[in-house]
Amino acid sequence: MRAAALLLALIASGLVAAQDYPSKPIRLIVGFPPGGNVDVVGRIVAQKLGEGSMIANEYVAKSAPDGYTLLIVSGAFVTQAATTRKLPYDPLHDFTFISTVVTYPLVFSVRADSRFRTLDEFIGYVKSNPGKVNYPSPGMGTLYHLAGELFVSMAGIHMQHVPFRGGAEPLTEVLSGRMELLIDALTNSYPQIQAGKFRPLAVSSLSRSPALPAVPTVAESVPGYEALSFTGLGGPAGMPAAVVERLNREVRRALASPEVGKRFAEWGGTPSASSPEEMQRLVSAEIDKWKKVVAARKLELQ
């Protein structure tokens, strides 16, 4: 909850001067337990935690649209919408989207002593050994699972997905050598990369990450590939326009803080304020993108 708490503190400091809003404490709902990276910048973990985030989403969707109950919207928000048969809320119409906060790529990594030094080498090996390489994820329908399915499809290879029920288990599987490739948020893998435990092969953004400027993009080997995640701020549908505008302004002010920029850079993220309309379009586009992957790969809805 470190980034969420830091951001809320900076937003709150800017709201203090307001005479009409806020007149009481604002609740920021984070649908994940403290200590995981989702409440830092969006970690998606096991199925049970996914259920917890859906409960948080539903709670906010049904709250009064007065600006006093807000939601941290993460990559899990869009992948749940793409992979869940029936949600207890409408992911587009039951929320007010205020601003994105940070965006970050995924990173494709192998153990530091792996035989693979480039993504092209890895793809070539898998093509020569179809079905013999597995990749882990924290669970079915998570961003990391869907990013892997998109990669398999676009690269023309066959890998077996192995879902786990915990955020740390995929990392452990690759560190132990039981599996070859880890697809994870850069914000999660970055400390392991810095510690020399992982070798990054590629990042999933279309341009190289400032955090790993020497690491190529997946798109340099698989043209057009992109898989990103984000964290943003939302609330119930129907929030007053003046409150949304005020919150958006304070998010932008908070993200301009050198302290916030430094903290996000340490996690491999990029501060990314947006207009409410831009965040709405992003959420809609990401849901559509992953729904197409689910359909094309014939994945079972949860």
Side-chain angles (χ1 to χ4, degrees), residues 73-83 230 282-284 286-287 290:
V73 180
S74 76
F77 186 93
V78 297
T79 57
Q80 285 166 353
T83 60
F230 68 95
L282 172 66
V283 170
S284 179
E286 287 292 293
I287 292 173
W290 296 121

Side-chain angles (χ1 to χ4, degrees), residues 11 15 18 20-22 26 64-71 94-100 232-253 273-280:
I11 292 174
L15 290 171
D20 52 349
Y21 172 82
I26 296 172
D66 54 10
Y68 291 98
T69 303
L70 304 177
L71 176 71
D94 287 347
F95 297 89
T96 295
F97 298 104
I98 296 166
S99 175
T100 52
L233 190 65
M239 287 175 58
V243 171
V244 174
E245 190 278 331
R246 180 67 193 277
L247 286 167
N248 182 275
R249 185 167 71 248
E250 294 305 328
V251 168
R252 292 176 182 274
R253 184 189 65 83
S274 73
S275 69
E277 294 77 18
E278 287 169 335
M279 184 177 175
Q280 171 99 19

Side-chain angles (χ1 to χ4, degrees), residues 49-71:
L49 300 186
E51 292 171 1
S53 71
M54 281 192 279
I55 291 171
N57 297 344
E58 182 181 14
Y59 175 82
V60 173
K62 295 179 178 178
S63 295
D66 54 10
Y68 291 98
T69 303
L70 304 177
L71 176 71

Side-chain angles (χ1 to χ4, degrees), residues 182-200:
L182 180 68
I183 301 174
D184 201 1
L186 178 54
T187 52
N188 301 323
S189 294
Y190 196 51
Q192 304 291 340
I193 292 169
Q194 288 182 309
K197 295 180 179 180
F198 278 127
R199 175 186 299 142

Side-chain angles (χ1 to χ4, degrees), residues 44-250:
I44 304 156
V45 288
Q47 180 180 351
K48 290 298 179 184
L49 300 186
E51 292 171 1
S53 71
M54 281 192 279
I55 291 171
N57 297 344
E58 182 181 14
Y59 175 82
V60 173
K62 295 179 178 178
S63 295
D66 54 10
Y68 291 98
T69 303
L70 304 177
L71 176 71
I72 287 291
V73 180
S74 76
F77 186 93
V78 297
T79 57
Q80 285 166 353
T83 60
T84 305
R85 193 178 305 277
K86 185 173 177 59
L87 289 168
Y89 51 83
D90 186 304
L92 292 176
H93 298 104
D94 287 347
F95 297 89
T96 295
F97 298 104
I98 296 166
S99 175
T100 52
V101 173
V102 60
T103 56
Y104 54 92
L106 310 185
V107 60
F108 287 41
S109 299
V110 293
R111 207 166 72 164
D113 60 356
S114 170
R115 57 188 146 175
F116 303 115
R117 305 198 67 84
T118 68
L119 188 61
D120 285 333
E121 289 179 1
F122 179 82
I123 292 172
Y125 178 84
V126 178
K127 283 185 175 180
S128 301
N129 297 272
K132 294 183 180 180
V133 176
N134 300 333
Y135 77 96
S137 85
M140 295 290 293
T142 59
L143 176 61
Y144 311 121
H145 171 209
L146 298 186
E149 294 288 346
L150 181 62
F151 173 64
V152 165
S153 176
M154 293 184 67
I157 58 178
H158 175 55
M159 287 196 301
Q160 183 66 39
H161 169 240
V162 180
F164 288 89
R165 285 183 174 271
E169 288 183 272
L171 183 148
T172 301
E173 288 296 303
V174 176
L175 276 179
S176 69
R178 288 188 291 271
M179 294 191 190
E180 297 272 12
L181 180 71
L182 180 68
I183 301 174
D184 201 1
L186 178 54
T187 52
N188 301 323
S189 294
Y190 196 51
Q192 304 291 340
I193 292 169
Q194 288 182 309
K197 295 180 179 180
F198 278 127
R199 175 186 299 142
L201 299 183
V203 294
S204 66
S205 47
L206 289 178
S207 57
R208 296 192 180 195
S209 169
L212 297 171
V215 177
T217 66
V218 177
E220 290 176 51
S221 298
V222 183
Y225 183 92
E226 181 183 28
L228 296 175
S229 193
F230 68 95
T231 297
L233 190 65
M239 287 175 58
V243 171
V244 174
E245 190 278 331
R246 180 67 193 277
L247 286 167
N248 182 275
R249 185 167 71 248
E250 294 305 328

